[in-house]
Amino acid sequence: MIRINKNESPIPALNPEILTDIITKAEFNFYPDEEYDAFINAYANYYQLSPTQVSAANGSDEWIQKCMIALPEGPVLTLNPDFFMYTAYANQINRPIHYVDAEDDYTFSLSKIKKEINRLKPAFFIMSVPHNPSGIQYSKAFLDEIGDLMKAVGGYFIIDEAYLDFGDAYQIEHQDHIIQIRTLSKAFAIAGLRVGMVISTEKTIQQLNRIAHPYPLNTLTLNIATALFSDKQLVNQLLQRQRALCEKLRNIFEKNVSDIIHVIPSKTNFVLTYGDYANDLGQYINDHGFLPRFYNEENMKQTVRYSIATESQLDELEQIVLEWRKEYDLSKSKSN
C-alpha cells in the first residue's frame, strides 16, 4: 500500500553519501550547543532573518503546545476544520477553544472570523496558511486584517505555515503579537527527524522559550538540518522537485474528474476533493493500492485528501483515476 494520507515527502532531502559523512563526523559524546547555534544561523540566513527571531523544537507540534502553555490565559479561536492538534493541545491544559466554521465549499469568511474575534477576544487566534485540509492559501491582506484585529483586542495571531514552502511567499511585519510556526517535515523532507521552527520578535521568542528544554534537538538531527540549509542550491532544487510533484498531483484530479468532483485549488502538497462521488473515487483508489486520507468528522465525510508521491507512483495513480472515470462514464451512459 502506497501511503498518500499524511502529507509526507516522497523524496529524501539528502543522498546517502552526504548522510554517511554527517553521521561519521557527528560528535555524539558532547551536548549539541554548537550544533544548535549552527543550525539556527543557517536557517535564519536562508530566510534572511536575525537568529534572535528564530527558535527550534521537536516538531512544529511542540511549538503549538508551547503556545498553549506559555501565552497568556484565555480562550483560543481557530477554524473548523483545521489541524486537529490545535484542539488536542488545548484540551491537554484545559484551555477553552472555539471555532469559526467553514462555508459549504470549505472556504472561510473573513467577516465571520473578525466577528468571532471581537466577540470572544481570544488569547490567540491560530490558523494554518496555506490551510489544512483545504489547501487554500489566504491572501496577505486577509492575514493583515486578522493580525491588526488581534493586536487591537490584546491577543496573538499564530500563523501555522507548515505548507508555505509549497505556496506563495509573502512578507508579514514582525511584531510581538505575530507568531509564525514552520516545519521541516513537509517540503524539506525530514519528518522523521522532527524539526519545528518558530519566528517572531526576540521578545516573543523569549516568552515561548521560558518552557524550553535545554537541548530540544539531538546532534544528528541538527547536523542534517544544518547541512541542508547551508546549501541554498540544494534547498532550492529540493523545493523545485517538491513543487513539480504538487503540480502533477493537482493535474491528475483537475484534468480527469473536476467536472464531477469538487477539486479545491491547492497551494500545498495535497489535494482535497469533495462531493457526491469523492468517497467512491477515494475507495477505488484505496482498493488499488494507494491509501488516501478519509475523514470521520461530520463536516468532512464527503471529502478525501491525497498527498504527493513519487513521479512513477503519480503516473500509476493517474491510471487508476482514469480507470475509475471510464467505469463512471460507462455506468452513466447505461443509466441514460
Side-chain angles (χ1 to χ4, degrees):
M1 183 68 76
I2 298 170
R3 190 168 71 187
I4 53 171
N5 64 331
K6 292 189 175 182
N7 305 340
E8 296 158 318
S9 170
I11 56 177
L14 300 170
N15 65 46
E17 290 77 17
I18 294 175
L19 288 174
T20 299
D21 185 59
I22 291 170
I23 294 169
T24 302
K25 293 179 179 178
E27 296 181 324
F28 297 110
N29 51 316
F30 297 120
Y31 290 114
D33 300 270
E34 294 180 3
E35 288 84 351
Y36 181 86
D37 291 342
F39 168 60
I40 290 297
N41 284 317
Y43 186 89
N45 181 61
Y46 181 81
Y47 285 105
Q48 297 183 318
L49 298 165
S50 165
T52 61
Q53 295 177 269
V54 178
S55 191
N58 184 33
S60 60
D61 298 71
E62 184 173 326
W63 286 118
I64 298 167
Q65 185 184 52
K66 282 180 173 167
C67 288
M68 294 290 175
I69 297 170
L71 295 183
E73 293 184 0
V76 179
L77 182 64
T78 188
L79 306 178
N80 179 33
D82 209 318
F83 185 38
F84 71 97
M85 292 305 297
Y86 305 156
T87 298
Y89 287 127
N91 290 341
Q92 279 185 358
I93 63 167
N94 297 315
R95 188 189 276 268
I97 184 164
H98 300 260
Y99 307 91
V100 178
D101 290 334
E103 305 300 307
D104 291 341
D105 60 355
Y106 296 98
T107 61
F108 290 91
S109 163
L110 178 59
S111 63
K112 288 183 180 178
I113 293 173
K114 293 171 68 174
K115 181 179 179 181
E116 280 301 288
I117 290 173
N118 280 316
R119 182 187 70 83
L120 193 64
K121 294 180 173 52
F124 60 88
F125 174 71
I126 182 169
M127 67 177 289
S128 53
V129 180
H131 178 252
N132 176 19
S134 72
I136 297 169
Q137 181 169 347
Y138 290 90
S139 69
K140 181 179 181 296
F142 187 102
L143 303 180
D144 284 342
E145 287 202 42
I146 295 172
D148 291 345
L149 184 54
M150 286 305 303
K151 185 176 183 178
V153 302
Y156 289 82
F157 181 24
I158 302 173
I159 311 172
D160 183 354
E161 298 174 337
Y163 300 95
L164 183 60
D165 290 289
F166 299 106
D168 299 323
Y170 59 85
Q171 293 293 326
I172 195 159
E173 182 183 356
H174 294 114
Q175 303 177 65
D176 291 341
H177 75 292
I178 302 288
I179 298 171
Q180 296 163 270
I181 295 176
R182 296 182 182 176
T183 181
L184 272 58
S185 295
K186 311 300 181 183
F188 301 105
I190 52 174
L193 295 180
R194 311 301 299 129
V195 183
M197 308 302 299
V198 71
I199 300 169
S200 189
T201 62
E202 183 176 359
K203 176 183 176 181
T204 299
I205 294 292
Q206 289 176 350
Q207 181 174 355
L208 293 175
N209 276 333
R210 289 185 297 111
I211 56 171
H213 303 295
Y215 298 103
L217 296 168
N218 66 70
T219 296
L220 182 58
T221 294
L222 289 166
N223 286 353
I224 290 173
T226 301
L228 180 61
F229 279 93
S230 295
D231 190 335
K232 291 186 178 181
Q233 182 178 0
L234 180 64
V235 173
N236 292 337
Q237 288 174 347
L238 176 62
L239 293 179
Q240 287 174 5
R241 291 181 65 195
Q242 298 279 25
R243 290 167 183 158
L245 293 174
C246 295
E247 183 178 2
K248 189 176 181 71
L249 176 70
R250 288 193 297 268
N251 287 340
I252 290 172
F253 292 94
E254 290 173 356
K255 286 168 51 180
N256 299 310
V257 298
S258 62
D259 58 327
I260 55 174
I261 295 174
H262 294 286
V263 180
I264 299 180
S266 177
K267 292 289 186 176
T268 65
N269 66 341
F270 59 81
V271 169
L272 185 72
T273 64
Y274 71 96
D276 293 339
Y277 300 105
N279 274 284
D280 188 81
L281 172 58
Q283 191 58 57
Y284 187 90
I285 289 171
N286 185 83
D287 293 343
H288 287 76
F290 286 80
L291 178 62
R293 173 69 185 272
F294 298 99
Y295 293 86
N296 294 320
E297 294 86 346
E298 192 61 36
N299 63 340
M300 295 288 290
K301 283 187 175 179
Q302 280 195 315
T303 69
V304 183
R305 193 185 69 189
Y306 305 89
S307 305
I308 57 173
T310 65
E311 286 197 3
S312 61
Q313 288 168 345
L314 290 176
D315 288 337
E316 184 181 350
L317 177 63
E318 183 165 28
Q319 290 305 308
I320 294 169
V321 172
L322 289 170
E323 289 166 9
W324 177 88
R325 182 58 194 255
K326 288 178 183 177
E327 292 188 11
Y328 168 86
D329 290 339
L330 182 61
S331 67
K332 286 300 175 183
S333 64
K334 286 181 178 179
S335 65
N336 292 333

